[in-house]
Amino acid sequence: AQSVTQLGSHVSVSEGALVLLRCNYSSSVPPYLFWYVQYPNQGLQLLLKYTSAATLVKGINGFEAEFKKSETSFHLTKPSAHMSDAAEYFCAVSSSGGYQKVTFGTGTKLQVIP
Amino acid sequence: DAGVTQSPTHLIKTRGQQVTLRCSPKSGHDTVSWYQQALGQGPQFIFQYYEEEERQRGNFPDRFSGHQYPNYSSELNVNALLLGDSALYLCASSYRTGGSEQYFGPGTRLTVT
């Protein structure tokens, strides 16, 4: 079984401030982990993924995430928030083998305050 | 290169009716997954198709069924619609190897009245 918990359904940051979105996972096998972003009335866009190659993963738009097995965490960060980062962010997990059933978290809505 | 496409964009149906949603995967992808995203929620996995067969299924009733064609495109069918079926239905395509990311379409917004 696999699951993802996103802490904080809403996060507000000032423009230029650090963005930190939290994600903890549970998986009985080595996981693949993903962060997706969703803008209003749109589908999901992949920001970055972890597939066991490197624990610090860099993605698009300046985002990165660090896989910490001891903490079962995969938090998403960005050093400086931009107004265009306002969106909903989803953490997701899938098993490392076989067919890819992806389990999503409930999402964190990021607000960027000018 | 066209990404994942879905049709229609929006749909309004009445309780008890049946609906078919369509998805064309990204070029080079052979696996299609369907998700239901209710308002304010994360996407919930419905099922996944590979080689024209349903390979995995989430916790959805048999009213939800699907099909994959030889060209990898896919359909999602929902019978006996309920008000609770109102949601954004997302299609995602990927290549079958484990860990490859899924590319999502823009979704079909289904409203059941």
Side-chain angles (χ1 to χ4, degrees):
Chain A
Q2 56 191 29
S3 66
V4 164
T5 301
Q6 291 186 241
L7 300 176
S9 58
H10 290 81
V11 170
S12 293
V13 299
S14 298
E15 190 175 16
L18 171 72
V19 175
L20 171 61
L21 304 182
R22 299 177 186 275
C23 171
N24 288 90
Y25 70 92
S26 172
S27 178
S28 55
V29 296
Y32 290 145
L33 295 161
F34 308 87
W35 276 99
Y36 285 87
V37 61
Q38 186 176 36
Y39 297 98
N41 299 314
Q42 294 188 25
L44 280 72
Q45 180 185 10
L46 181 71
L47 283 176
L48 50 82
K49 67 174 182 177
Y50 166 77
T51 57
S52 77
T55 57
L56 183 62
V57 182
K58 295 187 183 298
I60 62 171
N61 301 337
F63 285 95
E64 63 180 37
E66 186 172 7
F67 172 72
K68 292 187 176 180
K69 184 177 179 180
S70 61
E71 299 177 8
T72 61
S73 69
F74 191 58
H75 302 331
L76 181 71
T77 61
K78 181 174 181 178
S80 176
H82 192 273
M83 294 299 294
S84 61
D85 295 328
E88 189 152 23
Y89 292 79
F90 293 94
C91 183
V93 61
S94 72
S95 58
S96 57
Y99 303 102
Q100 308 145 32
K101 177 182 176 180
V102 180
T103 301
F104 284 83
T106 52
T108 297
K109 195 162 288 187
L110 176 67
Q111 180 186 20
V112 181
I113 303 167
Chain B
D1 172 29
V4 179
T5 60
Q6 293 185 244
S7 62
T9 305
H10 295 87
L11 204 51
I12 299 175
K13 290 287 189 178
T14 304
R15 272 181 303 175
Q17 286 188 318
Q18 179 264 344
V19 68
T20 297
L21 310 181
R22 295 177 175 82
C23 172
S24 292
K26 181 179 170 64
S27 177
H29 286 179
D30 57 8
T31 301
V32 174
S33 302
W34 287 92
Y35 295 83
Q36 180 194 67
Q37 186 178 20
L39 202 61
Q41 301 294 319
Q44 297 291 314
F45 176 78
I46 301 175
F47 43 53
Q48 181 182 84
Y49 276 84
Y50 169 64
E51 290 187 333
E52 302 179 50
E53 289 190 17
E54 183 182 295
R55 299 292 178 170
Q56 290 212 48
R57 189 178 183 92
N59 295 324
F60 280 81
D62 292 345
R63 298 187 297 109
F64 289 77
S65 63
H67 188 79
Q68 185 179 36
Y69 294 94
N71 67 353
Y72 309 119
S73 66
S74 177
E75 290 179 352
L76 163 66
N77 301 292
V78 187
N79 294 322
L81 285 167
L82 304 174
L83 294 179
D85 295 331
S86 296
L88 180 68
Y89 288 85
L90 296 165
C91 168
S93 74
S94 56
Y95 189 62
R96 65 184 179 274
T97 54
S100 66
E101 61 266 31
Q102 298 188 348
Y103 287 79
F104 283 80
T108 293
R109 173 73 63 186
L110 173 64
T111 302
V112 182
T113 62

